[in-house]
Amino acid sequence: MRIVYFGMDLQSPCFSYLAERCEILALYTHHYPEDCFTEYAIVKEAEKRGIPVVYGRISEERVRRYFEEEGCDLFFSAEYGYIIPVPKDLPQFRGVNLHGALLPEGRGYFPVEVTLARHPAESGVTLHKIAPELDTGDIIDVEKFALRPEMDSVDVSIRNRQAGLKLTKRLMEDFEGAWNRAVPQPASDGTGLCPRPDDAVLTLKPEMTTAEAMAVYRIYNQMTRVELDGGTRLVMTMEPGSVTPDEAEIRLEENRWIYRTADGHLRLTLQHKEK
C-alpha cells in the first residue's frame, strides 16, 4: 500500500509500523511549540528512511495529484493539526485519522486538554475516515481507556500513543474489511467541540494558590504560560514549593525562575513564546 502520512511525534510508533510494511510517499508535519510532543523524532526517522518531509498544509491540488498521478492508496493522519482537503470529485480518495478522544463528543484540535477539563471517567482514541468537515468521518474503530484523577495531559497522550498503535495494527490486518465496516457518527449538537482554551485559562497568575497553578499545568502542560520579564513564556516544567518568598519573581538562570503564588511558589523552566 502506498501511503501519505500526516502527523507528529505523538503517534510516531504508527509511522514506524506503517513504514516497515508500506511505501510512505511523504511525511507532512508541522511545528507546534506548545505541545510536549513535537515533530523532531518523526522527521529524523523520515529522513533516515529517505522519505520526503513537507511542513505545513497540503493543497487540494496536491491531494488530487497523489491519488490521480502518483498511485497513492491512502492518507493516514495522526496529530497533523490541519484539515486535509477532500476533493468532492475524487472517488478514489481514501483517508483515515487517529483522533485523540471519543467522537463525536471530543471533536476539535485540543481533545486531550478539553477532555481533562471536563473530568470524564474515560477517554480513548477514535479511528475514523477523513471527511471534509473536521472529525466528522465514519468511525472505523475505537480504543477506550479509563482516566484516573492523577493523570495529566502527558499521561493521557501516552495512553493515546499506545491506543493509536493498537488501532493501526488492527486496521492494517484487514484494511478493506475495516474500511467497509465503518459506521456514521452519532448526531452531535456541537456542545462537545474541543476549541483552543482562552489565554486567560492558560495563564498563571500570582493570586493563584500553588494547587490551582498545578491544576492548570496538569491539564494544559506546555500550553501553560506566564507573564515574566516583560514577555509571555511557555512553562516547560513546574514544581511546587511551600514557602512564600518576599519577591514576586526570582530569576535563577536564563530560563529558570521562582514564581510566587498566594501560598508558596513555583519552580519553573520556561521558554519564550513564539510569535
Side-chain angles (χ1 to χ4, degrees):
M1 181 177 283
R2 308 187 83 194
I3 294 174
V4 177
Y5 190 97
F6 301 78
M8 299 174 66
D9 284 357
L10 177 56
Q11 294 291 1
S12 60
C14 300
F15 178 78
S16 301
Y17 178 84
L18 293 171
E20 287 293 328
R21 293 158 178 81
C22 306
E23 180 182 357
I24 308 297
L25 301 177
L27 165 66
Y28 280 74
T29 190
H30 67 113
H31 180 65
Y32 187 64
E34 297 180 1
D35 201 331
C36 177
F37 293 90
T38 64
E39 81 290 8
Y40 177 82
I42 199 169
V43 167
K44 290 296 184 184
E45 181 175 357
E47 291 174 345
K48 183 178 179 179
R49 293 178 178 273
I51 298 171
V53 177
V54 182
Y55 274 83
R57 300 176 185 271
I58 186 170
S59 68
E60 183 174 322
E61 177 186 358
R62 190 69 185 93
V63 172
R64 191 180 300 278
R65 292 211 313 271
Y66 273 124
F67 283 92
E68 292 182 335
E69 301 174 14
E70 300 179 33
C72 180
D73 299 301
L74 180 71
F75 276 12
F76 191 102
S77 174
E79 302 295 326
Y80 174 47
Y82 297 114
I83 293 178
I84 296 173
V86 180
K88 295 180 180 179
D89 58 342
L90 189 64
Q92 64 266 51
F93 176 87
R94 293 204 292 189
V96 299
N97 177 58
L98 286 173
H99 182 71
L102 304 179
L103 294 176
E105 296 88 354
R107 290 176 183 166
Y109 287 108
F110 298 91
V112 170
E113 293 80 9
V114 175
T115 296
L116 280 175
R118 292 173 179 160
H119 312 295
E122 70 173 4
S123 186
V125 176
T126 305
L127 177 67
H128 66 92
K129 294 183 180 180
I130 294 175
E133 295 184 10
L134 182 68
D135 301 330
T136 60
D138 293 355
I139 294 177
I140 298 172
D141 199 356
V142 178
E143 184 73 20
K144 297 181 180 181
F145 52 83
L147 291 179
R148 303 189 305 273
E150 70 272 17
M151 292 173 70
D152 65 11
S153 59
V154 177
D155 289 323
V156 178
S157 294
I158 292 172
R159 290 302 306 270
N160 281 355
R161 182 180 173 97
Q162 296 166 339
L165 183 57
K166 291 180 181 179
L167 289 169
T168 301
K169 289 181 177 180
R170 292 206 295 259
L171 173 70
M172 300 310 293
E173 287 171 358
D174 178 21
F175 179 85
E176 294 297 334
W179 181 267
N180 292 328
R181 287 190 298 269
V183 296
Q185 293 188 32
S188 172
D189 60 6
T191 57
L193 290 175
C194 300
R196 177 184 173 82
D198 292 337
D199 284 354
V201 174
L202 302 174
T203 303
L204 303 180
K205 303 174 183 63
E207 60 268 25
M208 286 180 170
T209 65
T210 300
E212 289 171 339
M214 294 299 295
V216 172
Y217 189 71
R218 170 185 171 264
I219 296 173
Y220 300 109
N221 201 258
Q222 291 176 194
M223 294 176 68
T224 307
R225 70 271 318 279
V226 64
E227 301 293 334
L228 275 176
D229 198 30
T232 302
R233 298 170 185 240
L234 301 178
V235 179
M236 299 294 102
T237 64
M238 177 192 294
E239 296 180 6
S242 60
V243 175
T244 305
D246 295 331
E247 304 95 322
E249 306 161 1
I250 304 174
R251 189 170 198 162
L252 305 176
E253 295 179 0
E254 175 63 26
N255 292 319
R256 292 180 59 241
W257 293 73
I258 289 176
Y259 182 78
R260 187 175 66 194
T261 62
D263 60 351
H265 68 272
L266 302 168
R267 304 157 192 174
L268 306 177
T269 304
L270 308 171
Q271 76 174 27
H272 285 286
K273 182 179 181 299
E274 296 181 5
K275 297 182 179 179

